[in-house]
Amino acid sequence: MDHIAGRKSGLSWAVHFSAMALVIVWVLPTLGLLVSSFRTTDQIRSSGWWAALFPAVQNETYRTADPDEARVDLGDGVFLVAGNIFVESGAAANLDDIAKEIMAWGASSRAIDAYQPDEVADLGEGETLSVTARGDYEWRGTADQIEGRGARIFVTVSAPPDFTIGNYRNVLFDPSNREGMSKAFFNTLTVTIPATIIPILIAAFAAYALAWMEFPGRALLIAAIVGLLVVPLQLALIPLLKLHNDIGIGKGYLGVWLAHTGFGLPLAIYLLRNYMVGLPREVIENARVDGASEFQIFTRIILPLSFPALASFAIFQFLWTWNDLLVAMVFLIDSSGETTVMTRQLVEMMGTRGGDWEILATSAFVSIAVPLVVFFSLQRYLVRGLLAGSVK
Amino acid sequence: MSPIMQAALTILIGVGGCVGYFYLSNQFLDRVLYPAKGQNAGRNINRANAIRPWLFLFPAIFALTLYLAYPVFETLRLSLTDRSLGGAFVGLDNYTQMAHDPKFWEALRNNFLWLLIVPAASTAFGLLAAQLTDRISWGNIAKSLIFMPMAISFVGAAVIFKLVYDARPEDVAQIGILNAVYLQLGGDSPITWLTVPFWNNIFLIIVLIWIQTGFAMVILSAALRGIPEETIEAAIVDGANPFQIFFKIKVPQIAGTIVVVWTTITIVVLKVFDIVFAMTNGQWETQVLANYMYDKLFRANDWGVGSAAAMVIMILVLPILVWNVYNARREMR
């Protein structure tokens, strides 16, 4: 047995390693978008999102304060301009707020890393400039030298990881934001909730009839539902749009609710029936003997017992309607664009603002945040539903 | 009326209407139509019980017929008529017209490429992930993370992967991880991956594999755990190595589940629309049938050819439909 045990431990190391690799590959794309949504436009443009996780080395250019206003006469014909480049440029609010550290600096664009921090640069004829790691500078010289515009300082800085929630504020709360993601968010919610609740109710009654009532044609109906499970909804687009126009619904919420109800029913009935068939026969028969009507049996016994299956389907239908694009485009969104949903907004943005990753990444995350929360909190029911729906 | 109010009202009317319908129709059946008293009580109970299932089923059957069954036949009819001729019957004209459209053949070719790769790759990765995560202590966390893309919309996934595939000019920092890695590994210049014909299909396909692998993993992991321990113990005693155990003992025992996973993903692939629509919109030779159909229906406003394309999707789904129904009927016996 030693032989087997030995192999096992070697293999188990490989298993951990491969599983880790697989998880990283699967998480990395989403992580990239999440990190990007917390970066500023400049950060996104200047480096890949993975760089945001580490201190970034970047080159920046600053200017000292204006000599005409800030120079101090030290006597003996020597003048001084002193200050802090980060504070004066607004990169830091005050001296305690400086997060960047200067690694090298220079006084000319041809040699931007000529000097170390604290080193004093000789600019010729007695004019000197020194810069500390924190960005404090001193610029000395004669009245002729310390005048005109401020001296330029080229720095190579190491900036710590820096994240902002400004993108989210923009996308969600800025009233002038023409992407209108918050409006689309509420529109999506408006589509989703009725489209989740109504099919459950209709399906539950039908599933009960198919599971526990005897009538001719039952097997045929179940077979039909299994068949309808896989009918592509693409086939339904034109006929139903025509129908909606003919009966006066047109494009709008009512249409999209009805469509989602119709398209969700086969899976709902199928899942619920499979679950209800497994409920103990004695419970139902005892209730019948005790004189309960079928309606009472259904509402008092079957519905409460079927809660796990109802929850499974509710999650499916919620995710599906929240994430849907096609049905909303065909049955809901009219030319006014007032009823647009988030998926549609995202597609639009990819077309018109494909380069503005801060807006795109943030909007995308707003739209996938809710499903992710639902997913992680109710995963148990989702898995149970998948197993009931697929493995026969 | 604000949409929120309208939604609340719809829930109220929808739920109230459903409950009201079921309750009142049952009451009507039991109290008015066939009351369980008087001289015909016995006969009435039997009659009521014969009718009741249909009361329970009526809303569902009505909705299914109207929203799924009727459109299949209506689409078939539309595909044989021409809208500009006032809906006149034109036989197979739309199909011939479609057959002369190179974009259709491109879409069909790409769809077969998707069909070939996505179910196979998702099932393989899913099986691998299931096997790996079942044996480690942090397996549940790993499973959650691999399963997570299932919750993300196809459009969201499209945005996520658009960032992965992003390409910027050679002299600035790359922000797409694929190009960054490619340049690290010695590539000459950044590539706009989504505009390179043929290979861009693969890059779109990867998005769907990323989404579907979690599904395959969850199902297959449950199946793997359902394998009787004795068969594996017997194999170990007989000296089988872990790979032999996996391929010769485990996989054959879950073959049925693998087929179910494979066909389920196949159906998803046949209907794939959002990913292509959002990422390339069928440009650069990435057209697929569902997007081709959407183009014809809503951009070219050609209902005939659009319906014909929808029928092609239906025909491709048909074998799986028949197989599923056949299996369901066999199990019910």
Side-chain angles (χ1 to χ4, degrees):
Chain A
M1 290 304 274
D2 278 355
H3 170 68
I4 292 172
R7 285 184 85 98
K8 253 194 159 166
S9 89
L11 196 70
S12 118
W13 182 84
V15 166
H16 278 282
F17 182 78
S18 333
M20 193 49 119
L22 206 60
V23 168
I24 289 175
V25 168
W26 247 255
V27 170
L28 217 54
T30 320
L31 188 67
L33 200 74
L34 180 64
V35 171
S36 296
S37 75
F38 287 105
R39 304 180 78 203
T40 63
T41 316
D42 287 343
Q43 285 172 327
I44 291 177
R45 292 223 173 114
S46 63
S47 59
W49 60 267
W50 49 93
L53 305 174
F54 310 100
V57 174
Q58 55 208 52
N59 296 320
E60 293 167 353
T61 309
Y62 295 92
R63 208 176 261 283
T64 65
D66 189 352
D68 296 337
E69 294 164 14
R71 74 178 182 181
V72 182
D73 188 348
L74 297 177
D76 301 332
V78 177
F79 289 83
L80 169 72
V81 176
N84 184 288
I85 51 173
F86 296 128
V87 175
E88 284 165 11
S89 66
N94 54 52
L95 286 173
D96 296 326
D97 196 37
I98 294 168
K100 293 175 178 173
E101 192 185 326
I102 293 174
M103 298 158 74
W105 63 279
S108 132
S109 60
R110 272 161 294 159
I112 59 169
D113 51 0
Y115 306 105
Q116 294 299 306
D118 295 324
E119 204 173 327
V120 178
D122 182 1
L123 303 180
E125 299 178 8
E127 182 184 354
T128 61
L129 179 64
S130 71
V131 180
T132 69
R134 297 178 62 234
D136 297 321
Y137 63 86
E138 290 187 356
W139 180 29
R140 286 166 203 273
T142 64
D144 289 346
Q145 289 164 338
I146 311 296
E147 63 140 21
R149 302 184 66 191
R152 280 198 292 172
I153 299 175
F154 300 88
V155 293
T156 305
V157 296
S158 152
D162 181 24
F163 298 104
T164 170
I165 57 162
N167 295 331
Y168 285 91
R169 212 179 297 133
N170 269 347
V171 165
L172 287 176
F173 303 117
D174 188 352
S176 66
N177 189 339
R178 62 194 179 87
E179 276 75 39
M181 210 54 189
S182 49
K183 187 178 73 186
F185 184 94
F186 283 109
N187 289 346
T188 304
L189 205 62
T190 311
V191 171
T192 306
I193 294 174
T196 304
I197 295 176
I198 295 172
I200 292 183
L201 211 63
I202 297 179
F205 278 96
Y208 174 62
L210 290 175
W212 288 105
M213 290 177 168
E214 294 289 343
F215 60 92
R218 188 173 79 159
L220 204 65
L221 267 177
I222 297 171
I225 282 161
V226 171
L228 289 176
L229 261 179
V230 296
V231 168
L233 66 87
Q234 269 89 354
L235 271 84
L237 302 181
I238 284 292
L240 290 182
L241 192 60
K242 249 174 46 169
L243 181 81
H244 282 182
N245 284 333
D246 289 347
I247 60 176
I249 298 176
K251 279 189 164 197
Y253 285 113
L254 190 57
V256 82
W257 289 326
L258 289 174
H260 275 312
T261 301
F263 300 151
L265 271 180
L267 182 66
I269 299 175
Y270 181 71
L271 274 184
L272 293 176
R273 181 198 163 265
N274 277 1
Y275 189 86
M276 287 177 186
V277 160
L279 294 175
R281 174 174 288 276
E282 302 80 50
V283 177
I284 293 154
E285 275 171 3
N286 282 348
R288 276 187 188 147
V289 170
D290 288 348
S293 74
E294 295 285 341
F295 190 78
Q296 283 169 329
I297 294 174
F298 175 74
T299 50
R300 305 265 170 84
I301 300 172
I302 301 288
L303 268 192
L305 283 180
S306 307
F307 177 76
L310 296 172
S312 292
F313 173 73
I315 296 167
F316 273 123
Q317 182 75 355
F318 175 82
L319 290 178
W320 152 243
T321 49
W322 186 279
N323 290 337
D324 159 75
L325 170 69
L326 186 58
V327 176
M329 281 202 301
V330 174
F331 293 107
L332 172 65
I333 302 169
D334 51 26
S335 50
S336 76
E338 278 302 303
T339 48
T340 190
V341 293
M342 283 193 292
T343 44
R344 175 70 208 168
Q345 279 299 92
L346 281 176
V347 172
E348 205 115 282
M349 269 184 237
M350 285 170 88
T352 56
R353 312 195 52 170
D356 299 349
W357 277 106
E358 70 287 351
I359 299 286
L360 201 50
T362 312
S363 304
F365 243 90
V366 168
S367 93
I368 62 183
V370 174
L372 283 185
V373 169
V374 169
F375 171 80
F376 281 115
S377 54
L378 299 171
Q379 206 183 128
R380 204 159 43 101
Y381 292 112
L382 190 68
V383 170
R384 207 180 295 178
L386 272 186
L387 293 177
S390 301
V391 182
K392 292 166 201 154
Chain B
M1 186 166 37
S2 85
I4 305 278
M5 283 295 296
Q6 205 186 337
L9 203 66
T10 309
I11 296 175
L12 218 66
I13 295 175
V15 173
C18 284
V19 173
Y21 158 80
F22 287 116
Y23 182 75
L24 293 177
S25 63
N26 272 281
Q27 287 288 322
F28 177 75
L29 189 65
D30 291 333
R31 295 282 155 77
V32 183
L33 200 57
Y34 296 118
K37 53 183 183 262
Q39 55 187 147
N40 293 329
R43 206 185 68 190
N44 277 356
I45 288 177
N46 284 340
R47 279 184 177 170
N49 282 341
I51 291 175
R52 198 179 331 272
W54 301 103
L55 285 184
F56 274 60
L57 282 165
F58 171 73
I61 292 180
F62 178 75
L64 285 174
T65 313
L66 192 61
Y67 275 82
L68 283 168
Y70 152 75
V72 173
F73 298 102
E74 177 67 4
T75 304
L76 179 62
R77 191 186 70 79
L78 284 173
S79 76
L80 300 174
T81 59
D82 192 328
R83 195 186 177 198
S84 58
L85 299 176
F89 181 80
V90 292
L92 294 175
D93 272 10
N94 290 317
Y95 292 89
T96 355
Q97 198 186 330
M98 189 167 69
H100 285 105
D101 184 355
K103 267 283 176 192
F104 168 73
W105 292 106
E106 178 195 315
L108 201 61
R109 182 204 71 178
N110 289 342
N111 252 76
F112 275 110
L113 194 65
W114 283 74
L115 279 180
L116 221 55
I117 299 176
V118 178
S122 297
T123 311
F125 279 123
L127 197 55
L128 179 70
Q131 174 69 10
L132 289 176
T133 53
D134 274 346
R135 313 175 65 182
I136 52 182
S137 49
W138 48 283
N140 279 338
I141 300 172
K143 271 208 186 82
S144 270
L145 292 173
I146 295 175
F147 192 30
M148 181 191 68
M150 276 295 279
I152 296 176
S153 59
F154 284 8
V155 177
V159 177
I160 288 173
F161 274 83
K162 200 122 192 215
L163 180 60
V164 171
Y165 298 148
D166 197 78
R168 319 195 76 208
E170 205 168 345
D171 47 345
V172 292
Q174 293 300 318
I175 64 170
I177 199 164
L178 191 60
N179 266 315
V181 170
Y182 174 71
L183 293 183
Q184 254 331 292
L185 294 178
D188 326 319
S189 57
I191 296 175
T192 47
W193 304 101
L194 292 177
T195 61
V196 185
F198 184 75
W199 293 105
N200 50 10
N201 283 304
I202 306 292
F203 291 114
L204 294 180
I205 285 172
I206 287 173
V207 181
L208 194 58
I209 296 175
W210 181 73
I211 295 174
Q212 292 295 326
T213 294
F215 163 75
M217 175 194 67
V218 166
I219 309 279
L220 293 171
S221 157
L224 281 175
R225 263 182 263 156
I227 293 177
E229 278 290 321
E230 304 85 64
T231 59
I232 294 161
E233 277 163 19
I236 291 175
V237 169
D238 286 348
N241 70 35
F243 292 98
Q244 285 173 325
I245 293 174
F246 182 68
F247 286 109
K248 302 219 166 127
I249 309 292
K250 286 184 174 175
V251 170
Q253 293 196 64
I254 59 167
T257 311
I258 291 178
V259 173
V260 170
V261 169
W262 194 293
T263 51
T264 309
I265 298 177
T266 301
I267 298 282
V268 176
V269 172
L270 280 171
K271 297 191 280 188
V272 68
F273 164 76
D274 311 31
I275 295 175
V276 176
F277 181 77
M279 291 186 83
T280 63
N281 200 6
Q283 289 170 286
W284 309 294
E285 296 176 27
T286 54
Q287 191 65 290
V288 292
L289 281 174
N291 196 48
Y292 175 81
M293 187 210 81
Y294 185 86
D295 260 355
K296 288 291 167 200
L297 286 183
F298 297 103
R299 294 219 181 84
N301 249 321
D302 190 341
W303 290 12
V305 175
S307 300
M311 287 314 293
V312 172
I313 300 178
M314 184 67 209
I315 289 165
L316 291 174
V317 169
L318 211 55
I320 296 177
L321 188 152
V322 171
W323 190 78
N324 276 359
V325 170
Y326 170 78
N327 272 339
R329 299 216 55 160
R330 201 184 48 186
E331 266 151 42
M332 265 187 304
R333 257 176 235 134

